Amino acid sequence: MIERLKQLSRNQFLRNVSTLAFGTIISQAVVVGSSPILSRIYSVEQFGLLSVFTSITVFFAVVSTGRYELAIGLPDNDEKSAKIFKLIIAIGAVISSLYLAIILLLKHGLRINDHTGFLNQNTSYLAPLYIFFVATFSALGYWNQRHKNYKKITIANAVQVLATTLFSIALGLLGYPQGMIVSLIIGILVAVIYMFVTDLQLLPMIVKQRGLGEVAREYVSFPRYMILSDLSLTASQQFIPILFSVLYSPTIVGFFSMANRMLRLPNIVITSSIGNVFRNEAIDEIREKGECMRLYNSTFKKLLYMSLPSYLFLFIVSPILFEVVFGKQWLQAGTFARIISVFLFVEFIATPLNTLFYVREKQKLLMWLQVMNAIVGAVMIYFGQYFFNSPSWSLILFSTSSIIFNIVLLYYSKK
């Protein structure tokens, strides 16, 4: 047993995953620890508005990088990677400015009646700024993954969550109703500053780069295929709050938001860490051996063993847990949590392995699968409202379609 533990400790893959996961665990521990406080400072409706803001900005943030950040780890030298980084910053600045112009047009020119509540809040003006910071932070993350600076990524994620949480509590206690949204922007700004300050050579290297059009054309397959693919994936994950706000109410969105916030913890803690390390290890193994089936199979087993106990436990105790921890008014969130735990179990396994689509340059296939997933998922949510007028049934039907598509993704990623 001791010898086995020593072997695991020497396993570079597991060590890298553990480094990334450790910081994420700390970050999510802060989220869990602060949620009972925030649920008593802010109303269910305010959680719903936060969820709508996050869903809209995360969705449009996909376009703000052109998905070129996925190419940062591919060049053989840092100079070309720095060009890609600068290209991402340029695209992010242009897209964010365009978003601001669209928001101004919709709010003041066309005076759109926004049923989601997004445009009705003054925080909508901050959305383009948040999107730009998301693009920058994403590029910084992939740059550090390229150099296997997993510890820095871990610290940056922890800094972001801690800053967001502290400012959310402070602004809430001061009586600012949109404190969670403002704190979201402050948190990611602090994390971006941290990553640049701890690598003083990076910014000068990025600034001096020229020939952005050359790398844009060389890696054009990423925006060509991955924007639509990732927009579809993000839509399937983020558009539930938006659809719920249109079909039901901000309060229902608030219940879903809290359930999703808590239930996705295992996914956030583990899958992104394993996916990042798996992608890098797969690139190395394919370069050396031409394939990575052994790595794929071993990663699949690890994900299965980790996810089954966690989500089975959450499925059983969620309704009671939510009522006890967050208060009686959050019981509906516990019911939602039980429903979404089933599809999150399958998603937990599929998500890290889907990075193989990028490594094998099968972005077009992934794109169409994600497009179909988003369309069918949206239809299922609508059917739940049309036939049953029930947010629970909307979630059940959406979860069913998500399980089917994640199984299909597993089949193609292994193939």
Side-chain angles (χ1 to χ4, degrees):
M1 182 65 179
I2 296 176
E3 184 60 32
R4 177 60 177 164
L5 290 174
K6 289 181 178 178
Q7 290 177 0
L8 290 175
S9 67
R10 291 192 295 266
N11 187 303
Q12 190 63 39
F13 180 88
L14 291 178
R15 286 174 62 185
N16 291 336
V17 169
S18 299
T19 300
L20 286 174
F22 179 70
T24 313
I25 289 170
I26 294 174
S27 301
Q28 298 310 311
V30 172
V31 172
V32 173
S34 64
S35 291
I37 301 172
L38 294 173
S39 67
R40 288 165 172 83
I41 296 176
Y42 296 96
S43 68
V44 178
E45 183 178 356
Q46 285 164 349
F47 271 92
L49 292 173
L50 170 67
S51 184
V52 170
F53 179 90
T54 305
S55 297
I56 290 174
T57 52
V58 168
F59 177 78
F60 287 106
V62 172
V63 181
S64 67
T65 63
R67 306 311 285 155
Y68 277 108
E69 72 270 32
L70 298 170
I72 286 178
L74 299 181
D76 294 329
N77 59 79
D78 282 350
E79 292 293 320
K80 183 178 285 189
S81 290
K83 286 183 182 181
I84 298 173
F85 198 126
K86 187 173 182 178
L87 175 65
I88 293 168
I89 299 297
I91 294 173
V94 171
I95 295 296
S96 297
S97 300
L98 179 61
Y99 287 156
L100 179 59
I102 292 173
I103 289 171
L104 290 171
L105 175 64
L106 294 177
K107 281 177 70 74
H108 303 290
L110 301 178
R111 300 184 182 275
I112 294 294
N113 183 21
D114 180 18
H115 294 288
T116 68
F118 173 77
L119 291 175
N120 300 332
Q121 306 296 317
N122 289 330
T123 48
S124 60
Y125 296 119
L126 299 175
L129 185 63
Y130 180 65
I131 288 170
F132 176 73
F133 288 149
V134 168
T136 306
F137 190 65
S138 179
L140 284 164
Y142 279 91
W143 175 267
N144 282 279
Q145 285 177 37
R146 171 183 174 83
H147 295 90
K148 301 190 177 180
N149 293 328
Y150 298 118
K151 186 176 180 180
K152 183 186 289 188
I153 298 171
T154 292
I155 295 173
N157 288 330
V159 166
Q160 178 188 358
V161 172
L162 187 60
T164 301
T165 302
L166 291 176
F167 276 96
S168 293
I169 294 173
L171 292 175
L173 292 174
L174 291 172
Y176 188 64
Q178 300 301 326
M180 288 188 290
I181 294 177
V182 174
S183 299
L184 199 67
I185 299 167
I186 295 173
I188 197 167
L189 173 60
V190 171
V192 167
I193 292 172
Y194 162 78
M195 295 191 85
F196 274 121
V197 168
T198 53
D199 188 355
L200 296 177
Q201 297 178 346
L202 175 58
L203 193 56
M205 182 187 296
I206 294 170
V207 170
K208 72 178 184 180
Q209 297 303 319
R210 298 292 184 270
L212 302 186
E214 180 183 334
V215 293
R217 289 188 294 272
E218 182 176 352
Y219 296 102
V220 70
S221 63
F222 287 94
R224 178 179 295 167
Y225 298 123
M226 296 319 302
I227 285 180
L228 182 56
S229 173
D230 288 349
L231 278 174
S232 302
L233 174 61
T234 306
S236 67
Q237 295 175 341
Q238 300 293 337
F239 265 28
I240 301 178
I242 297 173
L243 289 172
F244 271 25
S245 65
V246 173
L247 298 175
Y248 299 106
S249 70
T251 302
I252 293 297
V253 178
F255 287 135
F256 170 80
S257 172
M258 183 61 80
N260 195 52
R261 179 187 178 100
M262 294 295 104
L263 265 289
R264 278 195 179 273
L265 287 178
N267 286 40
I268 295 170
V269 170
I270 302 297
T271 58
S272 60
S273 303
I274 292 182
N276 290 334
V277 176
F278 172 75
R279 183 184 61 254
N280 290 340
E281 296 292 325
I283 290 172
D284 292 340
E285 201 159 303
I286 289 170
R287 282 172 179 167
E288 295 174 8
K289 303 177 182 178
E291 52 88 21
C292 62
M293 183 59 75
R294 181 198 58 80
L295 176 65
Y296 183 96
N297 289 333
S298 65
T299 305
F300 178 88
K301 291 177 183 177
K302 291 183 182 77
L303 291 163
L304 178 62
Y305 296 152
M306 284 187 286
S307 61
L308 184 57
S310 302
Y311 281 108
L312 181 59
F313 172 78
L314 291 170
F315 178 82
I316 295 170
V317 305
S318 285
I320 299 173
L321 196 62
F322 273 73
E323 185 177 9
V324 170
V325 175
F326 304 112
K328 291 183 179 180
Q329 72 271 26
W330 291 97
L331 177 61
Q332 182 68 49
T335 304
F336 286 176
R338 171 172 282 174
I339 297 170
I340 66 178
S341 66
V342 183
F343 90 81
L344 287 178
F345 161 66
V346 184
E347 183 183 288
F348 182 99
I349 300 172
T351 300
L353 299 173
N354 287 344
T355 59
L356 202 58
F357 284 93
Y358 308 131
V359 176
R360 286 296 198 181
E361 297 188 21
K362 297 293 182 181
Q363 296 98 323
K364 188 174 182 179
L365 173 60
L366 180 61
M367 176 188 71
W368 288 115
L369 290 174
Q370 301 289 20
V371 168
M372 290 300 299
N373 184 22
I375 293 173
V376 174
V379 170
M380 291 299 103
I381 292 173
Y382 175 73
F383 280 174
Q385 192 275 336
Y386 184 81
F387 291 108
F388 305 102
N389 194 27
S390 165
S392 294
W393 269 105
S394 289
L395 271 183
I396 290 170
L397 294 174
F398 173 82
S399 297
T400 302
S401 69
S402 294
I403 290 169
I404 293 171
F405 274 99
N406 274 295
I407 291 173
V408 172
L409 285 168
L410 279 170
Y411 168 77
Y412 279 106
S413 66
K414 183 167 186 176
K415 184 180 178 181

